[in-house]
Amino acid sequence: MKAAVIGATGYGGAELIRLLQQHPEATLHSFHSSSKEGESIEASYPHLQTVSGMALEAIDPEKIASETDVVFTATPSGVSSELVPELIDAGNRVIDLSGDFRLKDPKLYEQWYNKKAPDETVLQNAVYGLTEWLEADATEAQLISNPGCYPTAALLGLAPLMKQNIANPDSIIIDAKTGVSGAGKKATPVTHFTEMNDNLKIYKVFAHQHTPEIEQVLSGWNSQTGPITFSTHLVPMTRGIMTTIYAQGPDGMTAKELTDLYQESYNDSYFVRVREQGTYPSTKEVYGSNFCDLSVALDERTNRIMIVSVIDNLVKGASGQAVQNMNRMFDIEETAGLGFAPVYP
Amino acid sequence: MKAAVIGATGYGGAELIRLLQQHPEATLHSFHSSSKEGESIEASYPHLQTVSGMALEAIDPEKIASETDVVFTATPSGVSSELVPELIDAGNRVIDLSGDFRLKDPKLYEQWYNKKAPDETVLQNAVYGLTEWLEADATEAQLISNPGCYPTAALLGLAPLMKQNIANPDSIIIDAKTGVSGAGKKATPVTHFTEMNDNLKIYKVFAHQHTPEIEQVLSGWNSQTGPITFSTHLVPMTRGIMTTIYAQGPDGMTAKELTDLYQESYNDSYFVRVREQGTYPSTKEVYGSNFCDLSVALDERTNRIMIVSVIDNLVKGASGQAVQNMNRMFDIEETAGLGFAPVYP
Amino acid sequence: MKAAVIGATGYGGAELIRLLQQHPEATLHSFHSSSKEGESIEASYPHLQTVSGMALEAIDPEKIASETDVVFTATPSGVSSELVPELIDAGNRVIDLSGDFRLKDPKLYEQWYNKKAPDETVLQNAVYGLTEWLEADATEAQLISNPGCYPTAALLGLAPLMKQNIANPDSIIIDAKTGVSGAGKKATPVTHFTEMNDNLKIYKVFAHQHTPEIEQVLSGWNSQTGPITFSTHLVPMTRGIMTTIYAQGPDGMTAKELTDLYQESYNDSYFVRVREQGTYPSTKEVYGSNFCDLSVALDERTNRIMIVSVIDNLVKGASGQAVQNMNRMFDIEETAGLGFAPVYP
Amino acid sequence: MKAAVIGATGYGGAELIRLLQQHPEATLHSFHSSSKEGESIEASYPHLQTVSGMALEAIDPEKIASETDVVFTATPSGVSSELVPELIDAGNRVIDLSGDFRLKDPKLYEQWYNKKAPDETVLQNAVYGLTEWLEADATEAQLISNPGCYPTAALLGLAPLMKQNIANPDSIIIDAKTGVSGAGKKATPVTHFTEMNDNLKIYKVFAHQHTPEIEQVLSGWNSQTGPITFSTHLVPMTRGIMTTIYAQGPDGMTAKELTDLYQESYNDSYFVRVREQGTYPSTKEVYGSNFCDLSVALDERTNRIMIVSVIDNLVKGASGQAVQNMNRMFDIEETAGLGFAPVYP
């Protein structure tokens, strides 16, 4: 299977190169950039020296379609919305890592992204790629819309609870913390080392564009879901997301029953590891890997359920899940190229 | 005014030395240690070389009482409970930084600290030293019990809300994050650099001993308060606490009204700085200082109030507030020795 | 004494505000910026909220001269060269933190800074402000040129050796390591958090503009000095410089004799702390303070001397030394406003 | 091919598990620990949950020999010296990651390690495993002694220079910097997060046990080599070593000629990547990988050569090189299981 990556010079693109380079069945055929055509990838990423000898190519949808089986678009929001329909028209199968094809309601997209929504037909045909809970046959999909990093962590954490209708959706509060790579490769005053080192920041208060994405999926699982509270913090680390999720529990359920439910729910999911009751994951325990580690706890004093989920935002939260979706799309083993252990410490 | 510090080799003690050394009215008379008598403080803390030429002395309550005006006990929980009554008996005025004299209910103490509660009379006479909201005349106090680091951040954040009876106490969730110095000077596997660097951990889930301390104070402010949800995370930074506090708001209150309320509440409090509506503090903005910076926000979609408060856990969360309490105890200007700016970046 | 700060929105300027705010004899009269006139300092530095209620003012040399006793120019290289002569003409006494008035040879300046050298008369009258080794009467100086951060650490480390003619100047190699605040406040790809965190970089190889500054001073101390080797590394920390200096030693000198020499040399220098033989400083042990901590060692196997010196690059390496120079200029106690302990941990 | 790991609960052992788990030709057959027999590896390393379902076994040399083809001893110095001869006796082929079999002179070992030297015969038969410069046929070796982390970085950097007799060996100074994982998994006061974060330390001054190891190899390459100067610093990062190496150059050689020499020397070495002239590697650019990235520069003002080499201390500096040596030992492709890209950022 041959793959192309568009937008190879962002962190998502660089991570796709790392992952595809070690994939047993996919070949990284070409990578493309609208601004750096002709440059070597090593000029942007010296760590990829010798790993790939190729130069960045221009974006020619028909050429890409004729030469490859799948294309990953790791392009920014607002770029994918234009580019992906062209790729689809040219016959490509696409896995899109931007946020452009996640929100089914174009008005919500325009409100939270402040950009023009993509073509309606392409949008409605996009399969939302939370791989463990896919709601369509990926092998048939022409476009998979890869979930956001925060939604991946939060939704994997909430799925068993919501699908079993255990917690009151109105009570959900998601306190999320991310490493700084979530803010992308572009240097900004907020992410300047001296400003971020030894510092903890809260940002985009009640305005993060992943809010409606989480709500859309939760509503699909439980139609009672209204707006939820979602907050986001920047932690002085490179990779990793932790979501600490609070929800009012039902009476009469024990912590053990909750953990059992989670373990059963993910029994067949290689990439979701539910921890033993009373132990909790830290972000570094999934560093560089496609795992999502989960714990669920019950505060008996307040009858609140707390779910802790961690992922590597660039792997399970982006490029790793994209490769996992590619595996599903082409009906190969879900873990192909992704089964490696986290890098620890 | 002459001050003694007992337990000078922990982080709280070292920070007291830094603060007292630059205090305009207090003199650091002596420091004491049960285990390192005779050693210089520089052996434990090379950064204090030349700042103090004194050696650590044994703990002799009567000698300390006869030579000094006030003694800070920066001793561990379980040690203060024995030591402080002896100091009181010998006539010392004491500011205690351990948790031993905070919980008025000895049973709660024994349950959460798993240690024997201190002498009942001394305990009941201890004044809880959340300086901005003292409920007794500090100039009369023989013993001030300095608040915990998390309770300081959380309670300063909740006070205006609770005292005005704006939020439903049952709905309070405190998601707290701390720098690693909060875990003390002793090296442990959890706080080993390689385990903690670039990592985010949740710990003491539903078991942190600051939980009943927060509840005790909130109950004093609003008798409706039942148990609250309080979670604690270790962030890869040295100093700093952020508490992100969620509470269900009343109908019909605007974000601006909330911010106005907070600004009025702390108008006369030099050390509490309420941010402009829509801006939020980060922990580094109070690094090394006695400030607590606060913001309050309203999520109109869910009608939830969110309060963000930050402190330096070793200053306002421990030694700085202790000096502030000393200033109150001796009726000198509250800001004496503490009015300096944070160290930034 | 009234002081003005020009260039208050860089890290050097912000640190001057912190230091002057707690100075017992100086008053921070005004701060000035060419680009942010009218804005409050808190807009750039929220940590200074309430510490200073003033707004940034325009740069009017005559007004500044008439209202203040001394002006600190924390302006970039190439800006100070134009501005300082205007201030001098207007009668100001100036302490300049840029590199513009350090190199007495205009050609060297133009070669290493790639900018036009300043006015020759002003340049030659500038006193080089390595405070412990001033070579002119600061009380008479109209302009003090504050040393660079690396030269301060390296020269304090080399002075006893060079002045006693103990080591061969040709053999000197300075391997220097700095925290990232040395690169300034401006966000750049090199100093983006995700690129710098958990990373160690070497930069400006054989091209750092502090090289000729170090050589100029060493030549003044020992006319045999030719070019030296100086390398610079970026360490993932906010503040701090360590220079590890190697030099071929003479035969027959012991490590103890070297340490004795260093301790004698700095016996009267409050801010230079020579460590006991066999112990070595780390950068954090001077964090936030004006100290320079030093050790000297002898490798008997190779007869090489190694000197380790650490400073806080923003304090002793910039704003702290500038205040120390102000104290000398106005003949007040050298430690005024600077005698406080480092912030540790 | 079946492999066993002894000492699986240290960082070297855990990294071996990560690497062997994704090796195409080796199977991780069992891991062994003298102290944690019966425990699951996940108890020590939660990140390995599901990656390996095995429990730690006791160390039975004969059983290991009968069941596996190769055993990695990631045991501490002083333990390997006893254990390895037993394994050899039982017929195992061994790759030892401790320092016990590196120094051919038992007196040097006892002097620098302060432990009893291992059996002389086993010691002399050990092949020093600096893979790119092996001096014996690995396919014949029963014991490969894996190099130290610092020696790997320093020697790969010095080899072309020394083998061509370009630099004066007496002039070599190696200023080395390491991430904290180099100090191992055991929590100590020096490596406590709060002491090491935002800090830079120099340690084991002129006493690091890797000094004679480097000298031994250099002497083999150039018999003129006497003692060299080697210093070691702890940098606040988890992984990575940079050695900055200085040596007096010959007259008349250009920087380009030096870079050409290095590129030729390593032309056939997949894991050594020589950078283009004028560009330099940072440690993160090899993070998690088996690469050693190198640059060479010439300071024309002083005629000093500077070499910069970076490795991941746990991969090329330990477990990765051990697997590379296994590949050589069993005559399979050198890059098998190791050809993956660094994890960046």
Side-chain angles (χ1 to χ4, degrees):
Chain A
M1 182 181 3
K2 290 180 183 170
V5 174
I6 302 182
T9 58
Y11 286 152
E15 194 71 352
L16 278 167
I17 296 173
R18 173 172 84 93
L19 296 173
L20 291 170
Q21 176 256 355
Q22 58 187 309
H23 196 285
E25 306 199 27
T27 304
L28 180 54
H29 176 77
S30 55
F31 23 81
H32 306 263
S33 163
S34 57
S35 62
K36 304 204 170 180
E37 184 189 341
E39 270 188 27
S40 92
I41 191 73
E42 302 156 26
S44 297
Y45 288 107
H47 77 286
L48 292 175
Q49 185 181 351
T50 75
V51 169
S52 157
M54 296 184 288
L56 290 160
E57 299 177 19
I59 303 167
D60 178 340
E62 300 206 353
K63 186 164 182 288
I64 295 173
S66 71
E67 295 179 355
T68 68
D69 301 296
V70 61
V71 53
F72 294 89
T73 47
T75 34
S77 293
V79 173
S80 280
S81 61
E82 298 286 335
L83 178 63
V84 167
E86 290 178 43
L87 292 164
I88 298 284
D89 277 354
N92 288 282
R93 297 186 78 179
V94 178
I95 298 169
D96 179 53
L97 285 82
S98 85
D100 286 354
F101 296 88
R102 295 180 196 150
L103 297 179
K104 293 299 184 190
D105 178 348
K107 280 187 198 133
L108 270 184
Y109 176 82
E110 291 177 358
Q111 174 190 335
W112 288 85
Y113 283 79
N114 206 21
K115 281 171 184 151
K116 195 170 158 293
D119 176 84
E120 183 72 14
T121 309
V122 177
L123 177 60
Q124 298 310 332
N125 286 334
V127 173
Y128 186 76
L130 184 67
T131 327
E132 280 72 15
W133 301 98
L134 284 181
E135 295 180 350
D137 184 351
T139 63
E140 305 283 321
Q142 193 169 8
L143 170 60
I144 292 182
S145 175
N146 216 52
C149 49
Y150 284 126
T152 297
L155 294 169
L156 290 174
L158 280 163
L161 211 62
M162 294 293 284
K163 288 183 165 263
Q164 297 294 325
N165 211 1
I166 291 171
N168 177 359
D170 285 352
S171 69
I172 294 173
I173 293 175
I174 302 169
D175 189 289
K177 299 96 175 166
T178 188
V180 184
S181 63
K185 200 192 178 196
K186 197 174 149 41
T188 66
V190 168
T191 57
H192 189 34
F193 181 84
T194 33
E195 305 283 328
M196 194 62 235
N197 183 43
D198 231 37
N199 200 358
L200 177 64
K201 302 183 182 180
I202 188 166
Y203 73 108
K204 288 194 184 175
V205 172
F206 302 141
H208 199 289
Q209 72 275 12
H210 288 170
T211 311
E213 180 181 343
I214 295 169
E215 290 170 352
Q216 171 180 286
V217 178
L218 293 182
S219 298
W221 291 343
N222 181 331
S223 60
Q224 307 294 310
T225 313
I228 52 117
T229 290
F230 173 56
S231 72
T232 49
H233 304 75
L234 273 175
V235 175
M237 58 186 190
T238 301
R239 289 167 177 247
I241 281 178
M242 179 183 285
T243 61
T244 313
I245 307 173
Y246 305 92
Q248 199 63 37
D251 289 333
M253 195 154 187
T254 67
K256 187 176 178 315
E257 287 167 340
L258 283 167
T259 298
D260 287 348
L261 166 67
Y262 271 70
Q263 288 179 334
E264 281 158 32
S265 297
Y266 289 113
N267 205 30
D268 296 330
S269 299
Y270 177 78
F271 292 115
V272 182
R273 307 189 295 191
V274 178
R275 293 295 175 90
E276 305 254 314
Q277 199 191 323
T279 67
Y280 300 87
S282 65
T283 57
K284 203 171 179 71
E285 289 166 4
V286 296
Y287 197 99
S289 83
N290 200 49
F291 290 110
C292 172
D293 284 12
L294 279 179
S295 294
V296 59
L298 181 67
D299 183 3
E300 293 176 1
R301 300 165 69 253
T302 61
N303 198 31
R304 279 209 185 86
I305 295 169
M306 186 176 78
I307 303 146
V308 180
S309 67
V310 302
I311 60 169
D312 182 319
N313 56 303
L314 294 179
V315 190
K316 183 61 177 167
S319 304
Q321 187 159 240
V323 171
Q324 190 183 356
N325 282 326
M326 177 191 78
N327 292 347
R328 288 289 191 96
M329 197 180 236
F330 291 88
D331 205 16
I332 60 180
E333 203 183 354
E334 187 177 13
T335 58
L338 292 170
F340 51 83
V343 178
Y344 187 93
Chain B
M1 183 182 2
K2 289 180 183 169
V5 175
I6 302 182
T9 58
Y11 287 153
E15 195 71 352
L16 279 167
I17 295 173
R18 174 173 82 94
L19 296 173
L20 291 169
Q21 175 256 357
Q22 58 186 310
H23 196 285
E25 306 199 27
T27 304
L28 181 53
H29 177 76
S30 55
F31 24 80
H32 306 263
S33 163
S34 56
S35 61
K36 304 204 171 180
E37 184 189 341
E39 270 189 26
S40 93
I41 190 73
E42 302 155 26
S44 298
Y45 289 107
H47 77 285
L48 292 175
Q49 185 181 354
T50 75
V51 169
S52 156
M54 295 184 289
L56 289 160
E57 299 176 21
I59 304 168
D60 178 341
E62 300 206 354
K63 185 163 183 287
I64 295 172
S66 72
E67 294 179 355
T68 68
D69 302 295
V70 62
V71 53
F72 294 89
T73 47
T75 33
S77 294
V79 174
S80 279
S81 61
E82 297 286 335
L83 177 63
V84 167
E86 290 177 42
L87 292 164
I88 297 284
D89 277 354
N92 288 281
R93 298 185 78 180
V94 177
I95 298 169
D96 179 53
L97 284 83
S98 86
D100 285 353
F101 296 89
R102 296 180 195 149
L103 298 179
K104 292 300 184 190
D105 179 347
K107 281 187 199 135
L108 269 184
Y109 176 83
E110 292 178 356
Q111 174 189 338
W112 289 84
Y113 284 78
N114 206 20
K115 282 172 184 153
K116 193 169 159 293
D119 175 85
E120 182 74 14
T121 310
V122 177
L123 177 60
Q124 299 309 333
N125 286 333
V127 173
Y128 186 75
L130 184 67
T131 327
E132 279 74 13
W133 301 98
L134 284 182
E135 293 180 351
D137 184 352
T139 63
E140 305 283 322
Q142 194 169 6
L143 170 60
I144 292 183
S145 175
N146 216 52
C149 50
Y150 284 126
T152 298
L155 294 170
L156 290 174
L158 280 163
L161 211 62
M162 294 293 284
K163 288 184 164 262
Q164 297 294 325
N165 211 2
I166 290 172
N168 176 0
D170 284 353
S171 69
I172 294 173
I173 293 175
I174 302 169
D175 189 290
K177 298 98 176 166
T178 188
V180 184
S181 64
K185 200 192 180 196
K186 197 173 150 42
T188 66
V190 168
T191 57
H192 189 35
F193 181 84
T194 34
E195 305 283 328
M196 194 61 237
N197 183 44
D198 231 38
N199 201 357
L200 176 64
K201 302 183 182 179
I202 188 165
Y203 73 108
K204 288 194 186 177
V205 172
F206 301 141
H208 199 289
Q209 71 277 12
H210 287 170
T211 311
E213 180 180 342
I214 295 170
E215 289 171 352
Q216 172 180 285
V217 178
L218 293 182
S219 297
W221 291 344
N222 181 330
S223 59
Q224 307 295 310
T225 312
I228 53 118
T229 290
F230 172 58
S231 72
T232 49
H233 303 75
L234 273 175
V235 175
M237 59 186 190
T238 302
R239 289 167 177 248
I241 280 177
M242 178 183 285
T243 62
T244 313
I245 307 172
Y246 305 91
Q248 199 63 37
D251 290 332
M253 196 155 186
T254 66
K256 187 178 179 313
E257 286 167 343
L258 282 166
T259 298
D260 287 349
L261 165 68
Y262 270 70
Q263 288 180 334
E264 281 158 31
S265 297
Y266 288 113
N267 205 29
D268 296 329
S269 299
Y270 177 78
F271 292 115
V272 181
R273 306 188 296 190
V274 179
R275 293 296 175 89
E276 305 252 315
Q277 200 192 322
T279 67
Y280 299 88
S282 65
T283 57
K284 205 171 177 71
E285 289 165 4
V286 296
Y287 197 98
S289 83
N290 199 50
F291 290 111
C292 172
D293 283 12
L294 278 180
S295 294
V296 59
L298 181 67
D299 183 4
E300 294 176 0
R301 300 165 68 254
T302 60
N303 199 31
R304 278 209 187 87
I305 295 170
M306 186 178 77
I307 302 146
V308 180
S309 67
V310 301
I311 59 169
D312 182 319
N313 55 303
L314 294 179
V315 189
K316 183 61 177 168
S319 304
Q321 187 159 239
V323 171
Q324 190 183 355
N325 281 326
M326 177 191 76
N327 292 347
R328 287 289 192 94
M329 197 181 235
F330 292 89
D331 206 17
I332 60 180
E333 203 184 354
E334 188 177 12
T335 58
L338 293 170
F340 51 83
V343 177
Y344 187 93
Chain C
M1 183 183 2
K2 290 180 182 169
V5 174
I6 301 182
T9 58
Y11 286 152
E15 194 71 352
L16 279 167
I17 295 173
R18 173 173 81 95
L19 296 173
L20 291 169
Q21 175 255 358
Q22 58 187 311
H23 196 285
E25 306 199 27
T27 305
L28 181 53
H29 177 76
S30 55
F31 25 79
H32 307 262
S33 162
S34 57
S35 61
K36 304 204 170 179
E37 184 189 341
E39 270 188 27
S40 93
I41 191 72
E42 302 155 26
S44 298
Y45 288 107
H47 77 285
L48 292 175
Q49 185 182 353
T50 74
V51 170
S52 156
M54 296 184 290
L56 289 159
E57 299 177 21
I59 304 168
D60 177 340
E62 299 206 354
K63 186 163 182 287
I64 295 172
S66 72
E67 294 179 355
T68 68
D69 302 294
V70 61
V71 53
F72 294 89
T73 47
T75 34
S77 294
V79 173
S80 279
S81 61
E82 297 287 334
L83 177 63
V84 168
E86 290 178 42
L87 292 164
I88 298 284
D89 277 354
N92 287 281
R93 297 185 79 180
V94 178
I95 298 170
D96 179 53
L97 284 83
S98 86
D100 286 353
F101 295 90
R102 295 181 196 148
L103 298 179
K104 292 301 182 187
D105 179 347
K107 280 186 199 136
L108 270 184
Y109 176 83
E110 292 178 356
Q111 175 190 335
W112 289 84
Y113 283 78
N114 206 19
K115 281 171 185 153
K116 195 169 158 293
D119 175 84
E120 181 73 14
T121 309
V122 177
L123 176 60
Q124 299 309 333
N125 286 334
V127 173
Y128 186 75
L130 184 67
T131 327
E132 279 74 14
W133 301 99
L134 284 181
E135 294 180 351
D137 184 351
T139 63
E140 305 284 322
Q142 194 169 6
L143 170 59
I144 292 182
S145 174
N146 216 52
C149 50
Y150 284 126
T152 297
L155 294 169
L156 290 174
L158 280 162
L161 211 62
M162 292 294 284
K163 289 184 164 262
Q164 297 293 325
N165 210 4
I166 290 172
N168 177 359
D170 285 353
S171 69
I172 295 172
I173 293 175
I174 302 169
D175 189 289
K177 298 98 175 164
T178 189
V180 184
S181 64
K185 200 191 178 198
K186 197 174 150 40
T188 66
V190 169
T191 56
H192 190 35
F193 181 84
T194 33
E195 305 283 328
M196 194 62 236
N197 183 43
D198 231 37
N199 200 356
L200 176 64
K201 301 183 182 180
I202 188 166
Y203 73 109
K204 287 194 185 177
V205 172
F206 302 142
H208 199 289
Q209 71 277 12
H210 287 170
T211 311
E213 180 181 341
I214 295 169
E215 289 172 352
Q216 171 180 288
V217 177
L218 293 182
S219 298
W221 290 345
N222 181 331
S223 58
Q224 306 295 310
T225 313
I228 53 119
T229 291
F230 173 58
S231 72
T232 49
H233 304 75
L234 273 175
V235 175
M237 59 186 188
T238 302
R239 290 167 177 246
I241 280 178
M242 178 183 284
T243 61
T244 313
I245 307 173
Y246 305 91
Q248 198 62 37
D251 290 333
M253 197 155 186
T254 67
K256 186 176 179 314
E257 286 167 341
L258 283 167
T259 298
D260 287 348
L261 166 67
Y262 271 70
Q263 288 180 333
E264 281 159 32
S265 297
Y266 289 113
N267 206 30
D268 296 331
S269 299
Y270 178 79
F271 292 115
V272 182
R273 305 189 295 191
V274 179
R275 293 296 175 89
E276 304 254 315
Q277 200 192 322
T279 67
Y280 300 88
S282 64
T283 56
K284 205 171 178 70
E285 289 166 4
V286 297
Y287 197 99
S289 83
N290 199 50
F291 290 110
C292 172
D293 283 13
L294 278 181
S295 293
V296 59
L298 181 67
D299 183 2
E300 292 176 2
R301 300 166 68 253
T302 60
N303 200 31
R304 280 208 185 87
I305 295 170
M306 187 177 76
I307 303 146
V308 180
S309 67
V310 302
I311 59 170
D312 182 319
N313 56 303
L314 294 179
V315 190
K316 183 60 178 170
S319 304
Q321 187 159 240
V323 170
Q324 190 183 356
N325 281 325
M326 177 191 77
N327 292 347
R328 287 289 191 95
M329 198 181 235
F330 292 89
D331 206 15
I332 60 180
E333 203 183 353
E334 187 176 12
T335 57
L338 293 170
F340 51 82
V343 177
Y344 187 95
Chain D
M1 183 180 4
K2 290 181 182 169
V5 174
I6 302 181
T9 58
Y11 287 153
E15 195 71 352
L16 278 167
I17 296 172
R18 174 173 82 93
L19 296 173
L20 291 170
Q21 175 255 357
Q22 57 186 310
H23 196 284
E25 307 198 27
T27 305
L28 181 53
H29 176 77
S30 55
F31 24 81
H32 307 263
S33 163
S34 57
S35 61
K36 304 202 171 180
E37 184 188 341
E39 271 189 26
S40 92
I41 191 72
E42 302 156 26
S44 297
Y45 288 108
H47 76 285
L48 292 175
Q49 185 181 354
T50 75
V51 169
S52 156
M54 296 184 288
L56 289 160
E57 300 177 19
I59 304 168
D60 177 341
E62 300 206 354
K63 184 163 183 289
I64 295 173
S66 72
E67 295 179 355
T68 67
D69 302 294
V70 62
V71 54
F72 294 89
T73 47
T75 33
S77 294
V79 174
S80 280
S81 60
E82 298 286 336
L83 177 63
V84 168
E86 290 177 43
L87 292 164
I88 297 284
D89 277 353
N92 287 281
R93 297 185 78 180
V94 178
I95 297 169
D96 179 53
L97 284 83
S98 85
D100 285 354
F101 296 90
R102 296 180 195 148
L103 297 180
K104 293 299 184 189
D105 179 348
K107 280 187 200 134
L108 270 184
Y109 176 82
E110 292 178 355
Q111 175 190 334
W112 288 84
Y113 283 79
N114 206 20
K115 281 171 185 152
K116 193 170 159 292
D119 175 85
E120 181 74 12
T121 309
V122 177
L123 176 61
Q124 298 310 334
N125 286 335
V127 173
Y128 186 75
L130 184 67
T131 327
E132 280 74 14
W133 301 99
L134 284 181
E135 294 181 351
D137 184 351
T139 63
E140 306 283 324
Q142 194 169 7
L143 170 59
I144 291 183
S145 175
N146 216 52
C149 49
Y150 285 126
T152 297
L155 294 169
L156 290 174
L158 280 163
L161 211 62
M162 293 293 285
K163 288 183 165 262
Q164 296 294 326
N165 211 2
I166 290 171
N168 177 359
D170 284 352
S171 69
I172 295 173
I173 293 175
I174 302 169
D175 189 289
K177 299 98 175 164
T178 189
V180 184
S181 64
K185 200 191 179 198
K186 197 174 149 42
T188 66
V190 168
T191 57
H192 190 36
F193 182 84
T194 35
E195 305 283 327
M196 194 62 237
N197 183 43
D198 231 37
N199 200 357
L200 176 64
K201 301 183 183 179
I202 188 165
Y203 72 108
K204 287 194 186 175
V205 172
F206 302 140
H208 199 289
Q209 71 276 13
H210 287 170
T211 311
E213 180 180 343
I214 296 169
E215 289 171 353
Q216 171 180 286
V217 178
L218 293 182
S219 298
W221 290 344
N222 180 331
S223 60
Q224 306 294 311
T225 313
I228 53 119
T229 290
F230 173 58
S231 72
T232 49
H233 304 76
L234 273 176
V235 175
M237 58 187 190
T238 301
R239 290 167 177 247
I241 279 178
M242 178 183 285
T243 61
T244 314
I245 307 173
Y246 305 91
Q248 198 63 37
D251 290 333
M253 197 154 186
T254 67
K256 188 178 178 313
E257 287 167 341
L258 283 166
T259 298
D260 287 349
L261 166 67
Y262 271 71
Q263 288 179 333
E264 282 159 32
S265 297
Y266 288 113
N267 205 30
D268 295 331
S269 299
Y270 178 78
F271 292 115
V272 182
R273 306 188 297 190
V274 179
R275 293 295 175 90
E276 305 254 314
Q277 200 191 323
T279 68
Y280 299 88
S282 65
T283 56
K284 206 172 177 70
E285 288 165 5
V286 296
Y287 197 99
S289 82
N290 200 48
F291 290 110
C292 172
D293 283 13
L294 279 180
S295 294
V296 59
L298 182 67
D299 183 2
E300 293 176 0
R301 300 166 67 253
T302 60
N303 199 31
R304 279 209 184 86
I305 295 169
M306 186 177 78
I307 303 146
V308 180
S309 68
V310 302
I311 59 169
D312 182 319
N313 55 304
L314 294 179
V315 189
K316 182 61 178 167
S319 304
Q321 187 158 240
V323 171
Q324 190 183 355
N325 282 327
M326 177 191 77
N327 291 348
R328 288 289 192 95
M329 197 180 236
F330 291 89
D331 205 16
I332 60 180
E333 203 184 354
E334 187 176 12
T335 57
L338 292 171
F340 51 83
V343 178
Y344 187 95

